[in-house]
PDB file of all heavy atoms in Angstrom:
ATOM      1  N   MET A   8     -36.163 -24.970 -16.982  1.00  0.00           N
ATOM      2  CA  MET A   8     -35.592 -25.372 -15.687  1.00  0.00           C
ATOM      3  C   MET A   8     -34.294 -24.606 -15.438  1.00  0.00           C
ATOM      4  O   MET A   8     -33.435 -24.557 -16.307  1.00  0.00           O
ATOM      5  CB  MET A   8     -35.334 -26.882 -15.701  1.00  0.00           C
ATOM      6  CG  MET A   8     -34.850 -27.419 -14.349  1.00  0.00           C
ATOM      7  SD  MET A   8     -34.465 -29.173 -14.465  1.00  0.00           S
ATOM      8  CE  MET A   8     -35.774 -29.837 -13.489  1.00  0.00           C
ATOM      9  N   LYS A  11     -28.871 -25.697 -11.608  1.00  0.00           N
ATOM     10  CA  LYS A  11     -28.686 -26.011 -10.199  1.00  0.00           C
ATOM     11  C   LYS A  11     -27.200 -26.004  -9.870  1.00  0.00           C
ATOM     12  O   LYS A  11     -26.428 -26.774 -10.453  1.00  0.00           O
ATOM     13  CB  LYS A  11     -29.299 -27.384  -9.897  1.00  0.00           C
ATOM     14  CG  LYS A  11     -29.297 -27.715  -8.410  1.00  0.00           C
ATOM     15  CD  LYS A  11     -29.925 -29.082  -8.174  1.00  0.00           C
ATOM     16  CE  LYS A  11     -29.863 -29.428  -6.694  1.00  0.00           C
ATOM     17  NZ  LYS A  11     -30.427 -30.765  -6.424  1.00  0.00           N
ATOM     18  N   CYS A  53      -9.816 -25.099   4.999  1.00  0.00           N
ATOM     19  CA  CYS A  53      -8.386 -24.850   5.248  1.00  0.00           C
ATOM     20  C   CYS A  53      -7.901 -23.649   4.435  1.00  0.00           C
ATOM     21  O   CYS A  53      -7.136 -22.813   4.930  1.00  0.00           O
ATOM     22  CB  CYS A  53      -7.563 -26.093   4.906  1.00  0.00           C
ATOM     23  SG  CYS A  53      -7.858 -27.463   6.054  1.00  0.00           S
ATOM     24  N   GLN A  57      -6.617 -19.666   5.759  1.00  0.00           N
ATOM     25  CA  GLN A  57      -5.409 -18.949   5.300  1.00  0.00           C
ATOM     26  C   GLN A  57      -5.754 -17.553   4.805  1.00  0.00           C
ATOM     27  O   GLN A  57      -5.059 -16.580   5.125  1.00  0.00           O
ATOM     28  CB  GLN A  57      -4.719 -19.747   4.190  1.00  0.00           C
ATOM     29  CG  GLN A  57      -4.029 -21.005   4.694  1.00  0.00           C
ATOM     30  CD  GLN A  57      -3.497 -21.857   3.563  1.00  0.00           C
ATOM     31  OE1 GLN A  57      -3.316 -21.389   2.440  1.00  0.00           O
ATOM     32  NE2 GLN A  57      -3.245 -23.118   3.854  1.00  0.00           N
ATOM     33  N   LYS A  67     -12.680 -14.746  12.617  1.00  0.00           N
ATOM     34  CA  LYS A  67     -13.519 -15.388  11.594  1.00  0.00           C
ATOM     35  C   LYS A  67     -13.009 -16.796  11.293  1.00  0.00           C
ATOM     36  O   LYS A  67     -13.793 -17.729  11.093  1.00  0.00           O
ATOM     37  CB  LYS A  67     -13.516 -14.559  10.303  1.00  0.00           C
ATOM     38  CG  LYS A  67     -14.192 -13.206  10.420  1.00  0.00           C
ATOM     39  CD  LYS A  67     -15.687 -13.335  10.290  1.00  0.00           C
ATOM     40  CE  LYS A  67     -16.368 -11.974  10.261  1.00  0.00           C
ATOM     41  NZ  LYS A  67     -17.832 -12.115  10.321  1.00  0.00           N
ATOM     42  N   PHE A  78     -21.580 -27.636   8.338  1.00  0.00           N
ATOM     43  CA  PHE A  78     -21.525 -27.631   6.870  1.00  0.00           C
ATOM     44  C   PHE A  78     -21.443 -29.062   6.322  1.00  0.00           C
ATOM     45  O   PHE A  78     -20.981 -29.277   5.206  1.00  0.00           O
ATOM     46  CB  PHE A  78     -20.316 -26.827   6.382  1.00  0.00           C
ATOM     47  CG  PHE A  78     -20.448 -25.348   6.580  1.00  0.00           C
ATOM     48  CD1 PHE A  78     -19.995 -24.743   7.743  1.00  0.00           C
ATOM     49  CD2 PHE A  78     -21.047 -24.556   5.603  1.00  0.00           C
ATOM     50  CE1 PHE A  78     -20.117 -23.375   7.931  1.00  0.00           C
ATOM     51  CE2 PHE A  78     -21.173 -23.183   5.787  1.00  0.00           C
ATOM     52  CZ  PHE A  78     -20.714 -22.595   6.946  1.00  0.00           C
ATOM     53  N   SER A  86      -7.541 -29.788   9.352  1.00  0.00           N
ATOM     54  CA  SER A  86      -8.143 -28.470   9.632  1.00  0.00           C
ATOM     55  C   SER A  86      -7.662 -27.929  10.979  1.00  0.00           C
ATOM     56  O   SER A  86      -7.495 -26.718  11.142  1.00  0.00           O
ATOM     57  CB  SER A  86      -9.674 -28.534   9.579  1.00  0.00           C
ATOM     58  OG  SER A  86     -10.173 -29.583  10.363  1.00  0.00           O
ATOM     59  N   GLU A 112     -10.272 -33.576  23.309  1.00  0.00           N
ATOM     60  CA  GLU A 112     -11.707 -33.423  23.620  1.00  0.00           C
ATOM     61  C   GLU A 112     -12.542 -33.266  22.349  1.00  0.00           C
ATOM     62  O   GLU A 112     -13.684 -33.729  22.265  1.00  0.00           O
ATOM     63  CB  GLU A 112     -11.837 -32.181  24.509  1.00  0.00           C
ATOM     64  CG  GLU A 112     -13.166 -31.947  25.145  1.00  0.00           C
ATOM     65  CD  GLU A 112     -13.154 -30.618  25.901  1.00  0.00           C
ATOM     66  OE1 GLU A 112     -12.227 -30.375  26.704  1.00  0.00           O
ATOM     67  OE2 GLU A 112     -14.090 -29.820  25.662  1.00  0.00           O
ATOM     68  N   PHE A 115      -9.547 -35.025  18.029  1.00  0.00           N
ATOM     69  CA  PHE A 115      -8.361 -35.011  17.178  1.00  0.00           C
ATOM     70  C   PHE A 115      -7.200 -35.748  17.846  1.00  0.00           C
ATOM     71  O   PHE A 115      -7.050 -35.687  19.076  1.00  0.00           O
ATOM     72  CB  PHE A 115      -7.890 -33.576  16.887  1.00  0.00           C
ATOM     73  CG  PHE A 115      -8.898 -32.747  16.158  1.00  0.00           C
ATOM     74  CD1 PHE A 115      -9.491 -31.652  16.783  1.00  0.00           C
ATOM     75  CD2 PHE A 115      -9.250 -33.035  14.857  1.00  0.00           C
ATOM     76  CE1 PHE A 115     -10.413 -30.867  16.118  1.00  0.00           C
ATOM     77  CE2 PHE A 115     -10.177 -32.255  14.184  1.00  0.00           C
ATOM     78  CZ  PHE A 115     -10.764 -31.177  14.806  1.00  0.00           C
ATOM     79  N   PRO A 117      -3.357 -35.220  17.629  1.00  0.00           N
ATOM     80  CA  PRO A 117      -2.308 -34.382  17.042  1.00  0.00           C
ATOM     81  C   PRO A 117      -1.198 -35.209  16.412  1.00  0.00           C
ATOM     82  O   PRO A 117      -0.791 -36.240  16.957  1.00  0.00           O
ATOM     83  CB  PRO A 117      -1.783 -33.586  18.243  1.00  0.00           C
ATOM     84  CG  PRO A 117      -2.908 -33.574  19.218  1.00  0.00           C
ATOM     85  CD  PRO A 117      -3.588 -34.901  19.050  1.00  0.00           C
ATOM     86  N   SER A 119       2.670 -34.933  13.895  1.00  0.00           N
ATOM     87  CA  SER A 119       3.933 -34.177  13.950  1.00  0.00           C
ATOM     88  C   SER A 119       3.747 -32.739  13.474  1.00  0.00           C
ATOM     89  O   SER A 119       4.365 -31.815  14.008  1.00  0.00           O
ATOM     90  CB  SER A 119       5.021 -34.873  13.124  1.00  0.00           C
ATOM     91  OG  SER A 119       4.674 -34.911  11.764  1.00  0.00           O
ATOM     92  N   ILE A 126       5.435 -25.753  18.298  1.00  0.00           N
ATOM     93  CA  ILE A 126       6.854 -25.496  18.596  1.00  0.00           C
ATOM     94  C   ILE A 126       7.307 -24.212  17.912  1.00  0.00           C
ATOM     95  O   ILE A 126       8.007 -23.384  18.505  1.00  0.00           O
ATOM     96  CB  ILE A 126       7.726 -26.708  18.186  1.00  0.00           C
ATOM     97  CG1 ILE A 126       7.523 -27.854  19.180  1.00  0.00           C
ATOM     98  CG2 ILE A 126       9.209 -26.330  18.099  1.00  0.00           C
ATOM     99  CD1 ILE A 126       8.097 -29.192  18.755  1.00  0.00           C
ATOM    100  N   ARG A 148       3.903 -39.145  23.539  1.00  0.00           N
ATOM    101  CA  ARG A 148       2.656 -39.500  22.840  1.00  0.00           C
ATOM    102  C   ARG A 148       2.914 -40.370  21.610  1.00  0.00           C
ATOM    103  O   ARG A 148       2.017 -40.600  20.800  1.00  0.00           O
ATOM    104  CB  ARG A 148       1.923 -38.229  22.408  1.00  0.00           C
ATOM    105  CG  ARG A 148       1.335 -37.427  23.548  1.00  0.00           C
ATOM    106  CD  ARG A 148       0.149 -36.631  23.000  1.00  0.00           C
ATOM    107  NE  ARG A 148      -0.155 -35.454  23.774  1.00  0.00           N
ATOM    108  CZ  ARG A 148      -1.140 -34.608  23.485  1.00  0.00           C
ATOM    109  NH1 ARG A 148      -1.875 -34.812  22.402  1.00  0.00           N
ATOM    110  NH2 ARG A 148      -1.379 -33.568  24.238  1.00  0.00           N
ATOM    111  N   GLY A 162      17.199 -23.699  13.517  1.00  0.00           N
ATOM    112  CA  GLY A 162      17.061 -22.294  13.109  1.00  0.00           C
ATOM    113  C   GLY A 162      17.072 -21.350  14.297  1.00  0.00           C
ATOM    114  O   GLY A 162      17.712 -20.295  14.258  1.00  0.00           O
ATOM    115  N   LYS A 174      24.741 -27.603  15.642  1.00  0.00           N
ATOM    116  CA  LYS A 174      25.454 -28.717  14.998  1.00  0.00           C
ATOM    117  C   LYS A 174      25.288 -30.002  15.798  1.00  0.00           C
ATOM    118  O   LYS A 174      25.105 -31.086  15.226  1.00  0.00           O
ATOM    119  CB  LYS A 174      26.942 -28.375  14.857  1.00  0.00           C
ATOM    120  CG  LYS A 174      27.273 -27.390  13.749  1.00  0.00           C
ATOM    121  CD  LYS A 174      28.773 -27.133  13.713  1.00  0.00           C
ATOM    122  CE  LYS A 174      29.181 -26.174  12.613  1.00  0.00           C
ATOM    123  NZ  LYS A 174      30.628 -25.871  12.649  1.00  0.00           N
ATOM    124  N   LYS A 183      19.340 -40.510  15.334  1.00  0.00           N
ATOM    125  CA  LYS A 183      17.970 -41.004  15.500  1.00  0.00           C
ATOM    126  C   LYS A 183      17.311 -41.356  14.167  1.00  0.00           C
ATOM    127  O   LYS A 183      16.096 -41.563  14.097  1.00  0.00           O
ATOM    128  CB  LYS A 183      17.141 -39.973  16.264  1.00  0.00           C
ATOM    129  CG  LYS A 183      17.550 -39.918  17.729  1.00  0.00           C
ATOM    130  CD  LYS A 183      16.814 -38.861  18.496  1.00  0.00           C
ATOM    131  CE  LYS A 183      17.256 -38.903  19.967  1.00  0.00           C
ATOM    132  NZ  LYS A 183      16.795 -37.734  20.731  1.00  0.00           N
ATOM    133  N   LYS A 186      17.396 -37.717   8.404  1.00  0.00           N
ATOM    134  CA  LYS A 186      18.410 -37.189   7.489  1.00  0.00           C
ATOM    135  C   LYS A 186      18.251 -35.679   7.318  1.00  0.00           C
ATOM    136  O   LYS A 186      17.176 -35.216   6.920  1.00  0.00           O
ATOM    137  CB  LYS A 186      18.244 -37.889   6.137  1.00  0.00           C
ATOM    138  CG  LYS A 186      19.469 -37.869   5.274  1.00  0.00           C
ATOM    139  CD  LYS A 186      19.215 -38.725   4.031  1.00  0.00           C
ATOM    140  CE  LYS A 186      20.380 -38.609   3.079  1.00  0.00           C
ATOM    141  NZ  LYS A 186      20.122 -39.356   1.829  1.00  0.00           N
ATOM    142  N   CYS A 200      27.313 -17.599   8.799  1.00  0.00           N
ATOM    143  CA  CYS A 200      27.448 -16.268   8.175  1.00  0.00           C
ATOM    144  C   CYS A 200      27.202 -15.152   9.195  1.00  0.00           C
ATOM    145  O   CYS A 200      27.888 -14.132   9.178  1.00  0.00           O
ATOM    146  CB  CYS A 200      26.489 -16.128   6.994  1.00  0.00           C
ATOM    147  SG  CYS A 200      27.010 -17.024   5.515  1.00  0.00           S
ATOM    148  N   GLU A 204      31.583 -16.187   9.576  1.00  0.00           N
ATOM    149  CA  GLU A 204      32.359 -17.343   9.107  1.00  0.00           C
ATOM    150  C   GLU A 204      31.877 -17.790   7.723  1.00  0.00           C
ATOM    151  O   GLU A 204      31.365 -18.892   7.532  1.00  0.00           O
ATOM    152  CB  GLU A 204      32.268 -18.482  10.132  1.00  0.00           C
ATOM    153  CG  GLU A 204      32.882 -18.115  11.478  1.00  0.00           C
ATOM    154  CD  GLU A 204      32.752 -19.224  12.511  1.00  0.00           C
ATOM    155  OE1 GLU A 204      32.614 -20.401  12.113  1.00  0.00           O
ATOM    156  OE2 GLU A 204      32.773 -18.911  13.716  1.00  0.00           O
ATOM    157  N   VAL A 229      21.684 -18.269   0.649  1.00  0.00           N
ATOM    158  CA  VAL A 229      22.249 -17.856   1.945  1.00  0.00           C
ATOM    159  C   VAL A 229      23.570 -17.124   1.730  1.00  0.00           C
ATOM    160  O   VAL A 229      23.810 -16.040   2.283  1.00  0.00           O
ATOM    161  CB  VAL A 229      22.465 -19.080   2.869  1.00  0.00           C
ATOM    162  CG1 VAL A 229      23.274 -18.695   4.110  1.00  0.00           C
ATOM    163  CG2 VAL A 229      21.129 -19.683   3.278  1.00  0.00           C
ATOM    164  N   GLU A 239      29.515  -6.950  -1.351  1.00  0.00           N
ATOM    165  CA  GLU A 239      30.380  -7.725  -2.263  1.00  0.00           C
ATOM    166  C   GLU A 239      29.546  -8.283  -3.410  1.00  0.00           C
ATOM    167  O   GLU A 239      29.360  -9.491  -3.560  1.00  0.00           O
ATOM    168  CB  GLU A 239      31.099  -8.835  -1.485  1.00  0.00           C
ATOM    169  CG  GLU A 239      32.033  -8.294  -0.402  1.00  0.00           C
ATOM    170  CD  GLU A 239      32.681  -9.391   0.436  1.00  0.00           C
ATOM    171  OE1 GLU A 239      32.920 -10.487  -0.106  1.00  0.00           O
ATOM    172  OE2 GLU A 239      32.941  -9.147   1.625  1.00  0.00           O
ATOM    173  N   LYS A 251      24.768 -21.538 -12.336  1.00  0.00           N
ATOM    174  CA  LYS A 251      24.393 -21.873 -13.710  1.00  0.00           C
ATOM    175  C   LYS A 251      25.307 -22.950 -14.287  1.00  0.00           C
ATOM    176  O   LYS A 251      24.855 -23.861 -14.989  1.00  0.00           O
ATOM    177  CB  LYS A 251      24.421 -20.623 -14.587  1.00  0.00           C
ATOM    178  CG  LYS A 251      23.336 -19.615 -14.216  1.00  0.00           C
ATOM    179  CD  LYS A 251      23.548 -18.312 -14.976  1.00  0.00           C
ATOM    180  CE  LYS A 251      22.579 -17.249 -14.531  1.00  0.00           C
ATOM    181  NZ  LYS A 251      22.877 -15.937 -15.113  1.00  0.00           N
ATOM    182  N   ALA A 294       5.952  -9.519  -6.920  1.00  0.00           N
ATOM    183  CA  ALA A 294       5.672  -8.157  -6.452  1.00  0.00           C
ATOM    184  C   ALA A 294       6.914  -7.509  -5.846  1.00  0.00           C
ATOM    185  O   ALA A 294       7.194  -6.330  -6.075  1.00  0.00           O
ATOM    186  CB  ALA A 294       4.538  -8.187  -5.429  1.00  0.00           C
ATOM    187  N   VAL A 307      17.475   6.893  -7.219  1.00  0.00           N
ATOM    188  CA  VAL A 307      18.520   7.565  -8.014  1.00  0.00           C
ATOM    189  C   VAL A 307      17.965   8.730  -8.832  1.00  0.00           C
ATOM    190  O   VAL A 307      18.665   9.322  -9.645  1.00  0.00           O
ATOM    191  CB  VAL A 307      19.271   6.556  -8.936  1.00  0.00           C
ATOM    192  CG1 VAL A 307      19.994   5.517  -8.111  1.00  0.00           C
ATOM    193  CG2 VAL A 307      18.335   5.918  -9.964  1.00  0.00           C
ATOM    194  N   CYS A 326       1.038  -4.624  -7.106  1.00  0.00           N
ATOM    195  CA  CYS A 326       0.816  -3.230  -6.702  1.00  0.00           C
ATOM    196  C   CYS A 326       1.918  -2.754  -5.763  1.00  0.00           C
ATOM    197  O   CYS A 326       2.291  -3.476  -4.839  1.00  0.00           O
ATOM    198  CB  CYS A 326      -0.537  -3.118  -6.007  1.00  0.00           C
ATOM    199  SG  CYS A 326      -0.949  -1.444  -5.502  1.00  0.00           S
ATOM    200  N   ARG A 328       3.713  -0.313  -2.803  1.00  0.00           N
ATOM    201  CA  ARG A 328       3.267   0.237  -1.518  1.00  0.00           C
ATOM    202  C   ARG A 328       2.831   1.687  -1.724  1.00  0.00           C
ATOM    203  O   ARG A 328       3.250   2.340  -2.671  1.00  0.00           O
ATOM    204  CB  ARG A 328       4.402   0.191  -0.496  1.00  0.00           C
ATOM    205  CG  ARG A 328       4.907  -1.197  -0.135  1.00  0.00           C
ATOM    206  CD  ARG A 328       6.204  -1.118   0.637  1.00  0.00           C
ATOM    207  NE  ARG A 328       7.232  -0.388  -0.120  1.00  0.00           N
ATOM    208  CZ  ARG A 328       8.136   0.393   0.429  1.00  0.00           C
ATOM    209  NH1 ARG A 328       8.151   0.600   1.733  1.00  0.00           N
ATOM    210  NH2 ARG A 328       9.039   1.010  -0.311  1.00  0.00           N
ATOM    211  N   ARG A 372       2.204  22.615  -5.421  1.00  0.00           N
ATOM    212  CA  ARG A 372       3.173  23.499  -6.095  1.00  0.00           C
ATOM    213  C   ARG A 372       3.021  23.429  -7.605  1.00  0.00           C
ATOM    214  O   ARG A 372       3.072  24.451  -8.299  1.00  0.00           O
ATOM    215  CB  ARG A 372       4.618  23.114  -5.696  1.00  0.00           C
ATOM    216  CG  ARG A 372       5.019  23.618  -4.313  1.00  0.00           C
ATOM    217  CD  ARG A 372       6.528  23.472  -4.093  1.00  0.00           C
ATOM    218  NE  ARG A 372       6.961  22.082  -4.138  1.00  0.00           N
ATOM    219  CZ  ARG A 372       6.929  21.255  -3.097  1.00  0.00           C
ATOM    220  NH1 ARG A 372       6.446  21.661  -1.918  1.00  0.00           N
ATOM    221  NH2 ARG A 372       7.359  20.012  -3.216  1.00  0.00           N
ATOM    222  N   GLN A 386      -8.369  19.160 -10.273  1.00  0.00           N
ATOM    223  CA  GLN A 386      -9.437  18.157 -10.070  1.00  0.00           C
ATOM    224  C   GLN A 386      -8.917  17.005  -9.215  1.00  0.00           C
ATOM    225  O   GLN A 386      -9.619  16.487  -8.337  1.00  0.00           O
ATOM    226  CB  GLN A 386      -9.906  17.621 -11.423  1.00  0.00           C
ATOM    227  CG  GLN A 386     -10.794  18.597 -12.173  1.00  0.00           C
ATOM    228  CD  GLN A 386     -11.132  18.101 -13.578  1.00  0.00           C
ATOM    229  OE1 GLN A 386     -10.655  17.058 -14.016  1.00  0.00           O
ATOM    230  NE2 GLN A 386     -11.967  18.863 -14.280  1.00  0.00           N
TER     231      GLN A 386
END
Side-chain angles (χ1 to χ4, degrees):
M8 185 184 249
K11 187 180 178 182
C53 291
Q57 288 173 19
K67 293 278 186 188
F78 289 91
S86 50
E112 190 184 310
F115 299 114
S119 63
I126 286 168
R148 290 206 204 180
K174 284 180 179 176
K183 288 177 178 168
K186 202 174 174 184
C200 285
E204 297 178 24
V229 170
E239 297 176 31
K251 293 171 186 172
V307 297
C326 182
R328 297 168 303 145
R372 282 192 298 275
Q386 284 174 357

